């Protein structure tokens, strides 16, 4: 079970790296100016000189020749850069329609990735699964219809559900404590957020379409039963009325 959970943690880390690259590239291509990877690397080197403390302990940029070589640490350092000391501020997140939601999503992805990267046991992996589930919800809030299509978000929701199941996240002590707090405050536990009714966009509806189809099928099966019951009731009432009429006529003749 623990090996399975740690494998899920590795897959969560990989998914977060993929999401991070997608976010950085999308923001980079929305800004004015050059959109190449080389232009991005030049921007990072310049910012390393302007803000050495913020860009401390960065992955080595040498040999980076493709977007696939960028990991979450590097991507989020650029996206979340406050740029207060920049000669030419870029502010990638600030130039979006929902900068607050975008920043929250980036932080959520980074947190999930860090938890997954340092997972040492099943409990750590379960917490990573919970954080990844929250990150997908944050992505929906900040990027649905822009950096991510609804079908892509639906796929991430399915992956999040799979990670929660593999790690037994709903049965971990941390999740149990969150559930207890939720009962007292009315808040939903993190691990169960993706299971709430309704949904904010079609992505969650698509991810749970199978359940909706089953419910619809049950409703169709129950409908004939209800109609049949009403028919029997009407027949019984008609028989009763006819019986009363016959009895009345008979008594009148007597």
């Amino acid at each position: 079970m623990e090996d399975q959970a740690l494998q899920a943690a590795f897959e969560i880390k990989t998914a977060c790296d993929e999401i991070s690259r997608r976010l950085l590239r999308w923001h980079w291509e929305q800004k004015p100016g050059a959109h190449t990877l080389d232009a991005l690397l030049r921007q990072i080197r310049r910012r390393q000189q302007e803000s050495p403390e913020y860009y401390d302990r960065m992955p080595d940029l040498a040999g980076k020749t493709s977007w696939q070589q960028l990991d979450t640490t590097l991507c989020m350092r650029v996206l979340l850069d406050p740029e207060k000391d920049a000669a030419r501020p870029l502010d990638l997140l600030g130039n979006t329609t929902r900068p607050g939601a975008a920043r929250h999503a980036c932080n959520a992805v980074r947190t999930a990735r860090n938890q997954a990267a340092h997972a040492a046991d099943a409990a750590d992996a379960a917490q990573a699964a919970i954080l990844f589930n929250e990150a997908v919800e944050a992505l929906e809030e900040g990027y649905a219809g822009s950096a991510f299509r609804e079908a892509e978000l639906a796929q991430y929701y399915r992956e999040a559900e799979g990670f929660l199941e593999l790690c037994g996240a709903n049965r971990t002590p941390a999740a149990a404590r969150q559930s207890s707090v939720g009962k007292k405050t009315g808040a939903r536990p993190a691990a169960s957020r993706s299971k709430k009714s309704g949904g904010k966009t079609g992505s969650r509806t698509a991810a749970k379409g199978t359940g909706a189809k089953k419910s619809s099928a049950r409703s169709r099966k129950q409908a004939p039963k209800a109609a049949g019951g009403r028919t029997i009731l009407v027949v019984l009432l008609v028989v009763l009325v006819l019986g009363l009429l016959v009895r009345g006529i008979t008594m009148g003749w007597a």
Side-chain angles (χ1 to χ4, degrees):
M1 178 64 183
E2 184 160 312
D3 289 344
Q4 189 178 33
L6 291 177
Q7 176 61 30
F10 175 78
E11 293 177 9
I12 290 170
K13 174 187 173 297
T14 301
C16 288
D17 284 337
E18 174 190 319
I19 292 169
S20 300
R21 287 189 290 268
R22 178 72 173 271
L23 288 175
L24 178 56
R25 187 166 188 173
W26 183 82
H27 279 287
W28 189 250
E29 293 177 349
Q30 300 304 306
K31 72 171 185 61
H35 299 151
T36 64
L37 178 64
D38 286 340
L40 171 65
L41 297 179
R42 288 195 298 271
Q43 164 74 11
I44 294 173
R45 292 188 182 97
R46 180 167 59 249
R47 290 296 297 129
Q48 284 178 313
Q49 294 175 355
E50 293 173 336
S51 186
E53 290 185 5
Y54 181 78
Y55 282 88
D56 184 33
R57 289 183 291 181
M58 276 276 290
D60 187 6
L61 297 179
K64 297 286 192 287
T65 58
S66 71
W67 289 92
Q68 291 300 314
Q69 293 176 316
L70 308 182
D71 65 10
T72 302
T73 300
L74 192 150
C75 294
M76 291 306 170
R77 199 69 61 90
V78 177
L79 287 170
L80 298 171
D81 189 348
E83 297 191 341
K84 294 179 180 178
D85 51 1
R88 289 176 288 175
L90 190 60
D91 191 15
L92 293 176
L93 298 184
N95 293 325
T96 61
T97 56
R98 291 172 286 180
R103 186 168 295 276
H104 174 63
C106 289
N107 274 309
V109 172
R110 180 176 63 174
T111 301
R113 191 266 188 186
N114 288 342
Q115 175 67 27
H118 296 96
D121 54 30
D124 290 343
Q127 184 61 23
I130 292 171
L131 292 172
F132 182 75
N133 183 66
E134 292 179 343
V136 175
E137 290 190 334
L139 286 173
E140 184 179 17
E141 289 282 355
Y143 293 101
S146 56
F148 294 96
R149 297 188 298 273
E150 289 186 355
E152 293 171 320
L153 290 169
Q155 178 60 36
Y156 282 126
Y157 270 116
R158 286 190 288 270
E159 290 183 11
E161 290 288 344
F163 293 143
L164 288 168
E165 184 176 353
L166 281 174
C167 297
N170 291 327
R171 297 184 294 277
T172 61
R177 288 196 297 271
Q178 290 172 352
S179 179
S180 176
V181 171
K183 291 178 181 178
K184 295 179 181 178
T185 64
R188 288 177 290 109
S192 65
R193 289 183 182 178
S194 63
K195 298 180 181 178
K196 63 187 178 184
S197 60
K200 298 170 187 172
T201 70
S203 60
R204 196 163 307 179
T205 302
K208 300 183 179 180
T210 302
K213 291 178 182 177
K214 291 180 179 178
S215 177
S216 177
R218 285 195 299 269
S219 298
R220 288 195 297 270
K221 289 179 180 178
Q222 291 171 356
K225 295 180 180 179
R230 288 193 295 271
T231 301
I232 293 172
L233 180 61
V234 170
V235 171
L236 290 175
L237 288 173
V238 170
V239 171
L240 178 62
V241 171
L242 290 175
L244 291 174
L245 287 173
V246 169
R247 183 177 178 184
I249 292 172
T250 302
M251 291 177 68
W253 288 345

